[in-house]
Amino acid sequence: MDSIPLAPPTLPSDVILHYVAEGAANVIYRFTLPPPSPPSTSNLADLGQGPQQSQTPPPTEIPALHYDPVFEHRLLRLRKALPSASSNERACAALRNNFLPLFPASSLIAHDLVLLPPNFLCETNKALHALEKDGRRPPKRHGLYLAEDEPFGVLVTDMTPNVAEGETLVEFKPKWLVQSHSAPKGWRRCRTCALRLQRNAARRAKGQPEEAGFCPLDLASTDKARVERAVNFIVTTKHASGEQDLNRLRERITTFVQSGTIVSKLKALQGELDKVGVLTADVTSKDYLMAAAIRDCSIYVKVPKEEGGSIEARIGDLDIKSPDNGKAEYWRALESGLIDEGWYTGVEKDPQPDQTWCVE
């Protein structure tokens, strides 16, 4: 296992957590640290707070009481108990060794290990149970809890927008920006759109609502109209209060995607790291697992209210995938189903109402 470069700080045991959100593998919390403890009474005289107050040093000589600055502007990410998940120590080492060399630090969500106090995860799991009972945890996340044998949490960059100052956060997963190399000749749908339509057919059969989405090939295109089409799915009414604000925000995000380097860099890496497709690739290789991580990453774009303000964008969720515990077999079976059932070529048994085809 890769070593930790520096000893991580310890999270105070009396920290207060505030549930923010969760994904399939992690739960994100905002946290409030208690006020730093004052110096012991044996040292009060040295700080002018005891009987010898005449010896009080000037303010500039009084040692500052504060926490490690790594806690500032961070959220706490805690890992769920999934058999295929890597430990936080291994995940942070993989990020540091594999992805940090590929991107400027300013383009990535920072990840720093923090040592968790005893019984911390057990108590936090109890709080998750309480959230379920109160209806404040999404139903689809019920039943899966934090890995209580995990010694570390991860401090990640807080990209929460300052709503009072008019900031807006747009978050999305770019997914497969390059078509799967396993797709059959004559394909008419990209990997992401083919999988979405296959899953929508299953949802319809169960009477469940279908999901809409954008085509990643549009997002990664150099054609402004196609980029706009993708952005119109990503930026919705939840991001803006009125039609004029919504249209302007979409314009700004479209310009960001076209003029920035993040989407094009992710596209290039997907193509470089997986050149043959999951059906023939060595799915245990470092390159393939990095490609899989990049396909499942998220992009966080924080947009200021001012037109001339700088947009801050960072990549997150770059977690190396594991082929163990049946995941490799699942990946291949999923791809084979898309091919054999005609989802790539548009000849599936359950035709979709929307027959819009993807273009590379």
Side-chain angles (χ1 to χ4, degrees), residues 262-341:
I262 285 183
V263 172
S264 59
K265 178 66 173 179
L266 292 174
K267 176 182 177 179
L269 288 172
Q270 288 184 14
E272 293 168 8
L273 295 170
D274 175 20
K275 297 181 178 179
V276 296
V278 65
L279 296 183
T280 54
D282 175 4
V283 296
T284 66
S285 69
K286 173 183 172 181
D287 280 359
Y288 183 84
L289 296 176
M290 285 178 64
I294 291 172
R295 291 176 188 134
D296 199 38
C297 74
S298 299
I299 299 178
Y300 301 83
V301 185
K302 189 156 58 175
V303 184
K305 181 179 181 179
E306 299 79 13
E307 292 288 333
S310 298
I311 291 178
E312 180 183 4
R314 293 179 183 266
I315 305 166
D317 303 323
L318 279 171
D319 299 312
I320 288 288
K321 304 301 178 183
S322 171
D324 301 333
N325 297 300
K327 291 296 288 185
E329 292 78 7
Y330 169 75
W331 295 336
R332 288 180 171 140
L334 195 62
E335 186 76 344
S336 294
L338 295 176
I339 296 170
D340 297 342
E341 295 171 19

Side-chain angles (χ1 to χ4, degrees), residues 147-163:
E148 295 186 6
D149 59 347
E150 169 62 69
F152 297 106
V154 181
L155 297 171
V156 298
T157 306
D158 184 1
M159 288 292 286
T160 305
N162 187 330
V163 178

Side-chain angles (χ1 to χ4, degrees), residues 190-207:
C190 75
R191 169 55 162 70
T192 301
C193 291
L195 180 60
R196 182 189 306 117
L197 293 176
Q198 182 196 52
R199 289 177 171 171
N200 276 342
R203 292 186 183 101
R204 279 201 308 280
K206 297 177 182 178

Side-chain angles (χ1 to χ4, degrees), residues 5-234:
L6 295 174
T10 299
L11 192 70
S13 58
D14 51 354
V15 66
I16 300 173
L17 297 186
H18 311 273
Y19 176 90
V20 175
E22 62 182 290
N26 300 284
V27 184
I28 303 296
Y29 293 91
R30 190 179 307 286
F31 57 90
T32 303
L33 297 175
S37 301
S40 65
T41 53
S42 61
N43 294 327
L44 290 181
D46 297 334
L47 297 181
Q49 299 178 37
Q52 303 179 26
Q53 293 190 8
S54 60
Q55 299 179 9
T56 301
T60 55
E61 296 180 19
I62 297 177
L65 302 177
H66 58 79
Y67 288 108
D68 191 313
V70 75
F71 290 117
E72 297 178 3
H73 309 298
R74 295 297 180 91
L75 299 174
L76 177 65
R77 191 182 81 172
L78 300 177
R79 179 174 68 85
K80 294 182 182 180
L82 288 171
S84 61
S86 296
S87 69
N88 281 333
E89 184 177 1
R90 185 180 295 276
C92 284
L95 178 69
R96 182 177 66 250
N97 297 328
N98 298 323
F99 295 110
L100 281 181
L102 301 178
F103 301 93
S106 60
S107 294
L108 296 176
I109 296 288
H111 289 66
D112 293 291
L113 289 175
V114 60
L115 187 63
L116 301 175
N119 300 318
F120 178 80
L121 291 171
C122 178
E123 294 301 314
T124 307
N125 272 336
K126 291 179 182 178
L128 282 177
H129 281 279
L131 287 177
E132 290 182 8
K133 291 181 180 179
D134 294 343
R136 291 181 291 157
R137 191 182 187 202
K140 68 178 181 179
R141 303 302 183 191
H142 288 194
L144 184 59
Y145 305 98
L146 304 173
E148 295 186 6
D149 59 347
E150 169 62 69
F152 297 106
V154 181
L155 297 171
V156 298
T157 306
D158 184 1
M159 288 292 286
T160 305
N162 187 330
V163 178
E165 294 186 1
E167 289 183 339
T168 301
L169 179 68
V170 177
E171 173 189 351
F172 62 96
K173 285 185 174 293
K175 291 296 185 180
W176 290 62
L177 299 167
V178 174
Q179 172 65 304
S180 168
H181 292 295
S182 301
K185 292 182 179 180
W187 62 266
R188 305 182 75 182
R189 297 187 183 120
C190 75
R191 169 55 162 70
T192 301
C193 291
L195 180 60
R196 182 189 306 117
L197 293 176
Q198 182 196 52
R199 289 177 171 171
N200 276 342
R203 292 186 183 101
R204 279 201 308 280
K206 297 177 182 178
Q208 298 173 345
E210 298 179 37
E211 294 185 359
F214 66 93
C215 175
L217 302 189
D218 282 348
L219 188 71
S221 161
T222 57
D223 184 332
K224 183 179 179 180
R226 293 180 62 193
V227 176
E228 286 176 339
R229 182 166 60 186
V231 169
N232 287 347
F233 272 105
I234 294 168

